[in-house]
Amino acid sequence: MPLGFDPIYILLIAIVVFLASYMAVTYLREASTQKKEDKGKVISLSKCLNCGYTSSSTYNKEDYVGRRSGKCPKCGGELIITAIYLETQTQAPRETAS
Amino acid sequence: MLIAILILSSFVLNFTDVPQRIQFARYSSVVRRKLMELMEFEEEGRRKSVKFLKDMNFPNPKGLIDDYVDNFFVITPVEKEPTDIIKRLKHLIRTRDEAVKKYVTEKVSDVPDVSRQRIEVLLEINSILTYINKVVKHYYNLGVKFNDWIMMMQLALQINQIARLAKAYKDAIDSFGLGAPVGDGAGALAARMLVDSGSNPVELAPETVLYETTLEGRRLYIIKAKGPGPTVGWPGEALEKFVDSRECRISRIVTVDAALKLESERSGEVAYGVGAAIGDIGPEKIAMERVASKCSVPLDAVVVKMSNEEAINTMTKQVYEGVVKAVEVIKRIVLGKTKEGDTVVVVGVGNTLGIE
């Protein structure tokens, strides 16, 4: 070889570069698709049986749907827990069949 | 030189087991890594459960879990002779349930029902995590033992889904410890939302209650599991008893439950159709179908869709919004398909944790 390049070395270097870039791309793709865990916050929704006033508060361990949670600040009626759910910051993607 | 290497590598690739052995090494390393993850899930689940039981002043929580895991299995009845198979299956399920209940109450006396039900669920989840781990280990060990690269490849391709399921169960320990409704409670919550605040429950079957209410001139009877403990009750048996007590004077039965969504579907989607909406292995579902067909009462099904993970973890806002939609669908069915003065039964199926 006039320039001193052995084709075997060129082939080996090409293979090494290809494998390294393949591994890097695979790793980066995997890392980017992994969702960050969002624990969110559990909410208790209360509704007044008298005037329909609704309020939400952070869930506590004594809460359950159907529990009387206090007095309505508007009319003094009874507040009852109507729902408990987990609210997260990230919304799930709207998947559609294509 | 290059040609010699190409010929040699071609020979190695085509006429030896070397590529398979390399693949085997790769796949087994993937499975091994995931197995470590599964073992961590199992240990973490065990740790969390022990802490939860300790907080409840439970004596020797570790022993309670260790003695439960691997035991209390059910051998399904003989299927070759199908006569009274449902009766036999129901008997076996009841026997097992009673045995589990007795196991917990024997270990700690005077435990309230809600706490006992929570402990039973925790034990069950730990048992599932151990089982998943054991099955994966079994196939991994078999693959290694017999150099079965096809088995190892299948396992490596499925292990991510298995790990996802195991993680959902591990997280479910927190959810059941927390006491807030889970996704599977969608049916129970929908049923509860139809009940007036003044209506008092009557226990119809073990851990299953009946509420009475009205909707624009229709008399509505709501059947659901007795909350707020984590139980599914016996909705089929309760429905059967109630319809028999009314001597079939029922205009319509509407069942509502959580359903597993397909990957292309959104969580909280609501669908309706015909049949018994219940994910039961047999006895409760067939009881509903039998009583509906015996009395010629139309049987409607309303489902709220969600993933497996959502079903066993704290109810998400999307699922809750689905429940609100499901209630509207039930009302539409009742108002559109019955007339004033009719009697309708709504059966809310699912785990009633956090729902009275």
Side-chain angles (χ1 to χ4, degrees):
Chain A
M1 287 289 289
L3 293 172
F5 290 120
D6 192 333
I8 297 292
Y9 289 128
I10 294 171
L11 184 70
L12 282 175
I13 289 165
I15 289 170
V16 167
V17 169
F18 172 75
L19 285 176
S21 47
Y22 172 77
M23 284 169 75
V25 167
T26 312
Y27 174 77
L28 288 174
R29 200 168 51 191
E30 210 169 89
S32 68
T33 50
Q34 270 176 358
K35 279 190 218 162
K36 279 187 184 139
E37 220 169 307
D38 179 9
K39 293 255 176 191
K41 195 168 126 185
V42 182
I43 303 286
S44 296
L45 274 188
S46 298
K47 193 177 175 185
C48 174
L49 298 173
N50 197 27
C51 67
Y53 166 84
T54 53
S55 70
S56 65
S57 57
T58 307
Y59 170 82
N60 80 63
K61 282 199 167 187
E62 280 78 46
D63 286 355
Y64 57 82
V65 175
R67 177 179 179 239
R68 274 140 177 80
S69 58
K71 295 280 174 200
C72 173
K74 259 181 139 183
C75 69
E78 228 168 354
L79 280 176
I80 191 164
I81 297 176
T82 52
I84 298 168
Y85 57 78
L86 177 75
E87 202 167 46
T88 49
Q89 292 296 317
T90 49
Q91 291 288 316
R94 293 170 79 87
E95 297 131 341
T96 48
S98 52
Chain B
M1 179 69 173
L2 182 61
I3 291 169
I5 289 176
L6 282 174
I7 290 171
L8 187 68
S9 51
S10 167
F11 176 79
V12 168
L13 289 174
N14 288 296
F15 299 104
T16 69
D17 288 344
V18 172
Q20 280 76 23
R21 284 188 183 276
I22 294 169
Q23 282 182 339
F24 183 84
R26 272 184 54 212
Y27 290 131
S28 58
S29 124
V30 169
V31 175
R32 229 178 2 254
R33 261 185 286 138
K34 283 285 174 186
L35 248 175
M36 298 298 282
E37 213 173 286
L38 289 179
M39 279 158 72
E40 269 172 36
F41 288 162
E42 188 187 348
E43 277 168 25
E44 200 182 328
R46 202 63 68 93
R47 263 199 315 272
K48 281 180 180 173
S49 305
V50 167
K51 187 181 174 298
F52 177 76
L53 293 169
K54 265 188 185 164
D55 290 345
M56 289 171 73
N57 298 321
F58 206 93
N60 188 18
K62 196 177 175 301
L64 179 89
I65 299 170
D66 290 343
D67 289 347
Y68 181 86
V69 169
D70 278 349
N71 297 317
F72 296 100
F73 57 82
V74 176
I75 298 170
T76 50
V78 177
E79 289 166 6
K80 279 180 186 164
E81 168 54 80
T83 312
D84 73 4
I85 189 167
I86 289 295
K87 199 174 156 190
R88 285 182 276 134
L89 183 59
K90 189 174 176 178
H91 173 69
L92 293 174
I93 295 169
R94 288 277 165 110
T95 309
R96 188 216 183 240
D97 273 14
E98 285 302 318
V100 173
K101 198 186 278 184
K102 200 165 172 233
Y103 173 75
V104 176
T105 46
E106 262 177 7
K107 299 272 174 178
V108 59
S109 52
D110 302 330
V111 60
D113 273 355
V114 174
S115 303
R116 176 187 51 78
Q117 288 161 348
R118 274 197 193 181
I119 294 167
E120 283 174 22
V121 172
L122 283 183
L123 293 174
E124 200 63 52
I125 295 172
N126 277 285
S127 190
I128 292 167
L129 282 171
T130 304
Y131 183 71
I132 292 174
N133 213 340
K134 275 188 179 179
V135 171
V136 173
K137 264 186 205 158
H138 168 74
Y139 285 109
Y140 172 77
N141 287 342
L142 270 185
V144 170
K145 195 172 181 181
F146 297 107
N147 267 327
D148 191 337
W149 65 275
I150 292 179
M151 185 184 280
M152 199 57 87
M153 185 174 72
Q154 286 176 322
L155 193 55
L157 294 176
Q158 286 180 20
I159 197 88
N160 283 329
Q161 284 186 55
I162 296 169
R164 198 171 109 174
L165 184 70
K167 186 178 181 302
Y169 276 109
K170 190 254 303 172
D171 292 342
I173 291 175
D174 286 329
S175 304
F176 280 92
L178 190 68
V182 291
D184 185 48
L189 183 59
R192 186 65 181 79
M193 284 165 87
L194 288 164
V195 176
D196 290 336
S197 55
S199 178
N200 290 319
V202 178
E203 194 152 344
L204 253 188
E207 297 179 354
T208 315
V209 288
L210 174 86
Y211 290 90
E212 189 182 340
T213 186
T214 53
L215 180 71
E216 294 188 26
R218 283 88 173 159
R219 192 168 288 279
L220 238 64
Y221 289 95
I222 316 286
I223 292 172
K224 67 175 280 296
K226 186 182 176 186
T231 179
V232 291
W234 300 95
E237 184 183 317
L239 178 70
E240 205 170 26
K241 274 187 186 168
F242 178 70
V243 175
D244 284 344
S245 74
R246 300 265 316 169
E247 291 170 339
C248 291
R249 291 193 307 276
I250 303 287
S251 305
R252 211 158 189 100
I253 299 168
V254 185
T255 55
V256 51
D257 193 11
L260 288 184
K261 72 179 181 86
L262 299 173
E263 279 298 309
S264 58
E265 290 178 313
R266 270 187 292 129
S267 296
E269 267 185 22
V270 176
Y272 59 90
V274 171
I278 176 169
D280 173 61
I281 53 170
E284 298 306 300
K285 191 173 184 179
I286 208 165
M288 289 181 182
E289 290 168 352
R290 277 189 178 141
V291 78
S293 62
K294 185 179 89 179
C295 300
S296 294
V297 181
L299 183 60
D300 293 298
V302 178
V303 293
V304 181
K305 298 193 179 173
M306 64 193 74
S307 67
N308 213 335
E309 292 85 0
E310 285 170 321
I312 55 174
N313 282 287
T314 301
M315 187 180 284
T316 59
K317 194 177 180 187
Q318 282 170 312
V319 172
Y320 168 68
E321 285 166 354
V323 174
V324 175
K325 277 184 228 159
V327 172
E328 292 309 312
V329 172
I330 296 168
K331 283 182 181 171
R332 216 166 54 221
I333 291 172
V334 173
L335 298 177
K337 294 179 177 173
T338 62
K339 53 186 188 308
E340 279 189 30
D342 279 352
T343 301
V344 181
V345 186
V346 177
V347 188
V349 179
N351 195 305
T352 193
L353 173 67
I355 306 161
E356 190 188 35

